[in-house]
Structure formats: structure tokens, C-alpha cells
Amino acid sequence: MLKKNSRIFIAGHKGLVGSSLVRRLSTHGYNNMIVMSKKKLDLRNQNKVKNFFKKNKIDAVINAAGTVGGIYANNKYKADFIFDNLSIQNNIIHSCYENNIKNLIFLGSTCIYPRNCKQPIKESYLLTGELEKTNEPYAIAKIAGLKMCESYNFQYKTNYKCLMPCNLFGPNDNYDLEKSHFLPALISKIYNAKIKNNKTITIWGSGKPKRELLFVDDLADACIYFLNTRTKETLINIGSGIEMKIIDYAKQIMKEINVGLNIRFDFSKPDGTPRKIVDTKIAKKYGWKAQTTFKEGLKITYADFLKSIKQK
Ligand SMILES: NC(=O)c1ccc[n+]([C@@H]2O[C@H](COP(=O)([O-])OP(=O)(O)OC[C@H]3O[C@@H](n4cnc5c(N)ncnc54)[C@H](OP(=O)(O)O)[C@@H]3O)[C@@H](O)[C@H]2O)c1
């Protein structure tokens, strides 16, 4: 259980999830957050992480740090995705154990589940089939982190939790087309087409894969909720239940940006998993549920996107 003055270390506080955690924790009245820039503390460095944990009396940890990206980056930088994520999570999880920190949230993603598993995806489908090839190294790193938390819970009686969110969106996302996920990539493409007076945008693949999206503040609230909740399960899915085809997300963004564009499809690019929606019965059993509609989340996200462009 957290107290308002508990010392909570947010790893990756500048990222999409980390920055949302900082916002939401302070909204909820938590006043003792610990954050460190990557420059000062490279979480891949075992010695530095060990010393950092030893020096700071930390009560709880949320690991939102990692090498993260969309299908392009995952496919191109496979070595970085596996090495960085394994190193960061090994250092953080083991340091929690060494410093007697019982409260840790480890974040993974739904790509840990088999590519062709039944939908909605239940936690029990883990390791029942082959993974999606385009992000296999990342997924394997995340599965290792989850198994590490499970093993520590079993052997050392910790209560580490692994939350597996569906695709996320929100303020402070990455709009770099090489690294971004599909939603920020769509926002950026559609906005640029409008500014340049282009009539067409090109979408990777067929536009048909279905994706579930969760507003990032809802995930941050889930992290806070589960830091305060003792659970029997280590692995818990976090989703919104909002599911659309990629092409339909593009149409909704055009509506928000107030532009009508033709959509062309680049079939030379991969589609990725055909459908991904998570079963959130376990999270709901403990009383957690997403609160934000896609329309509300998109409004906030687009306003933040415009602000970030003006700052450049
Ligand atoms: N985005 C999604 O759609 C999504 C979906 C499901 C799950 N998740 C999970 O949520 C977590 C956070 O994702 P995100 O989207 O917030 O990623 P993000 O925006 O890329 O943020 C990652 C953060 O980690 C930090 N970081 C990376 N390498 C580091 C290192 N070696 N040492 C210290 N800090 C380091 C980055 O610091 P710098 O800013 O200084 O580089 C950044 O602040 C990940 O575990 C991811 O699997 C994300």
C-alpha cells in the first residue's frame, strides 16, 4: 500500500507512460516521486542501478523505461530491443529484491502473446503459440521480465505485478515516423498532408488489422491502482475494450483535424498481428476499469501534438 509521501521511483519518467505517471501521481496527491534522467542513470548499467537503489530509500517502483517503438523500429533494431529491455528490467527487478522493495509494477505489452491466439486475449494464452516475428526479440525480453517477477514472487514472497497494456496513445508520444506506433504516425501524416495541401495519405499494409487503444492516463491510473492492491495474479491485462481497424482510426483523426483525405495502402509493408484485443476480466475483478473514450483521448492528444510542433 502506498502512502502519499511514499518514495516512488518512476523509471522512464520522460516517456509517454512515465510522463503520464508523473502527472497522475501528483494529481492523486503523491508528493515524493523520484525521477532520474537517462543521462544521469543509464538503467542498463548494473553497478549504477545498484548504487542508486542503495542510496535512495525507495518504497515502490514503476518501470516505464525501455526501448520501445512501432513495427519499423522493432524490425530494424532487434538487438537494441532485446539487450536494452533485458538489461533494464534485470537491474530494476533484482535491485527491488535486494533492497526489500515489495511493491513493483513491471510494464510489458500485448506482443508477449502468440500472434494467432484466440481473441480477446486471456492471460492464460501466454506461451501457447508462436510470437509475431516482427517484434519477437522485444516480446521475449518482456516475457523474461514477467517470468522473473513471477519467480521472485514465488521464491521471495514479493508482490510484483506485471501489467500488460494494449496499444497506448496520449500526450508526449513519439511522432518520429521511424520509431512511432501507428496512432501518432497517423496523426503526424494526416496533419502534414493538411498543411501541405496534399489530397492523399499512404497507410502501411492493408489498414485492416484491428487494434485496441487505451488512453495513457488510464494506464497510469491502473499502475497507481495496482500498487495499492494486493493480487493473487502476477500477470494482469490492461485494456479499454475500444477496438477499430487502423483505417477507421485514420478516419476519426481526419474528423478531429477537420480534413478529408484519400487513403492509399502500401501493401509492401507488413500488417503485423491481424487483431489484438485483451481480455480484462482479471483487472475488472479487482475493481479497475478504463475511464476515457477514444474521442476524449484523441482531443487531448491532438492538442498536445499541436503544442509540441509550436515548441519546435
Ligand atoms: N507506447 C505504447 O503503445 C505501449 C503499449 C504497451 C506497453 N507499453 C510499455 O510501456 C512502457 C513505456 O513505454 P513508452 O511508450 O512510455 O516508451 P517511451 O515513450 O519510449 O519512454 C521510454 C522511457 O524510457 C527511458 N529509457 C530508455 N532507455 C533507458 C535507459 N537505458 N536508461 C534510463 N532510461 C531509459 C527513456 O528515456 P529518454 O526519454 O531519455 O530516452 C524514456 O523516458 C514500456 O515497457 C512499454 O513496453 C507501451
Side-chain angles (χ1 to χ4, degrees):
M1 285 292 155
L2 294 177
K3 295 190 195 114
K4 294 296 177 194
N5 65 350
S6 291
R7 290 169 64 78
I8 308 165
F9 172 46
I10 301 150
H13 70 287
K14 286 190 183 158
L16 170 68
V17 175
S19 58
S20 169
L21 281 162
V22 172
R23 275 197 310 276
R24 297 305 295 164
L25 279 161
S26 65
T27 302
H28 286 282
Y30 294 97
N31 54 30
N32 217 348
M33 284 174 251
I34 301 170
V35 296
M36 286 296 277
S37 71
K38 183 169 153 187
K39 231 178 166 182
K40 280 203 180 134
L41 179 66
D42 185 334
L43 292 162
R44 291 170 301 182
N45 184 316
Q46 192 177 21
N47 278 336
K48 282 193 176 164
V49 176
K50 251 179 184 292
N51 289 336
F52 167 78
F53 270 83
K54 224 190 263 169
K55 258 195 223 145
N56 293 277
K57 296 264 163 274
I58 295 168
D59 297 308
V61 175
I62 306 173
N63 181 15
T67 293
V68 181
I71 204 167
Y72 178 85
N74 259 285
N75 220 358
K76 187 163 178 195
Y77 305 109
K78 287 174 190 277
D80 296 348
F81 273 77
I82 193 158
F83 175 77
D84 294 356
N85 288 304
L86 280 175
S87 308
I88 292 172
Q89 69 205 34
N90 277 350
N91 292 338
I92 289 183
I93 297 167
H94 194 66
S95 291
C96 283
Y97 158 66
E98 282 186 329
N99 292 278
N100 202 24
I101 300 165
K102 298 261 193 270
N103 219 348
L104 160 73
I105 300 278
F106 172 72
L107 290 171
S109 108
T110 48
C111 65
I112 61 163
Y113 294 112
R115 172 187 158 81
N116 289 318
C117 68
K118 247 173 43 197
Q119 307 283 328
I121 306 169
K122 290 187 175 157
E123 288 84 347
S124 58
Y125 299 166
L126 184 75
L127 296 174
T128 56
E130 280 201 23
L131 297 165
E132 162 67 29
K133 282 281 175 249
T134 48
N135 54 25
E136 194 182 59
Y138 176 71
I140 284 178
K142 291 292 182 184
I143 293 170
L146 153 67
K147 288 293 165 192
M148 196 161 161
C149 288
E150 269 180 8
S151 307
Y152 280 50
N153 286 345
F154 175 80
Q155 189 176 339
Y156 301 132
K157 310 295 170 231
T158 48
N159 190 214
Y160 299 160
K161 285 154 212 142
C162 303
L163 302 188
M164 296 298 140
C166 62
N167 280 35
L168 303 169
F169 73 108
N172 206 21
D173 211 336
N174 187 345
Y175 291 95
D176 165 0
L177 288 182
E178 259 214 354
K179 299 215 168 128
S180 56
H181 288 98
F182 84 89
L183 195 91
L186 282 178
I187 292 177
S188 176
K189 272 187 196 174
I190 293 169
Y191 173 81
N192 283 321
K194 182 180 175 179
I195 295 300
K196 291 180 186 155
N197 246 330
N198 293 342
K199 298 280 169 274
T200 307
I201 55 155
T202 304
I203 287 184
W204 276 32
S206 67
K208 284 184 185 157
K210 283 183 164 178
R211 290 291 179 268
E212 181 184 18
L213 275 179
L214 176 75
F215 186 55
V216 70
D217 285 8
D218 283 347
L219 172 64
D221 285 349
C223 291
I224 300 166
Y225 190 85
F226 282 103
L227 278 178
N228 282 303
T229 309
R230 181 159 274 280
T231 62
K232 199 170 78 200
E233 301 81 355
T234 301
L235 171 59
I236 300 172
N237 288 339
I238 300 293
S240 62
I242 300 165
E243 183 195 33
M244 283 195 285
K245 287 184 189 159
I246 291 190
I247 185 174
D248 294 326
Y249 284 114
K251 288 178 184 164
Q252 292 262 341
I253 296 166
M254 286 187 213
K255 229 174 167 182
E256 179 62 36
I257 298 186
N258 203 11
V259 61
L261 302 167
N262 299 316
I263 300 176
R264 206 181 285 144
F265 302 98
D266 179 355
F267 291 104
S268 71
K269 298 287 193 312
D271 259 350
T273 306
R275 183 183 180 216
K276 254 208 286 191
I277 183 164
V278 287
D279 182 305
T280 52
K281 277 197 194 82
I282 295 181
K284 284 184 182 147
K285 175 179 86 177
Y286 289 104
W288 180 84
K289 198 167 144 250
Q291 301 294 331
T292 315
T293 65
F294 177 66
K295 231 175 149 184
E296 288 164 344
L298 182 60
K299 240 185 203 351
I300 299 168
T301 306
Y302 183 56
D304 177 76
F305 168 77
L306 290 178
K307 211 169 83 191
S308 72
I309 285 181
K310 280 188 194 135
Q311 280 164 358
K312 273 184 186 163

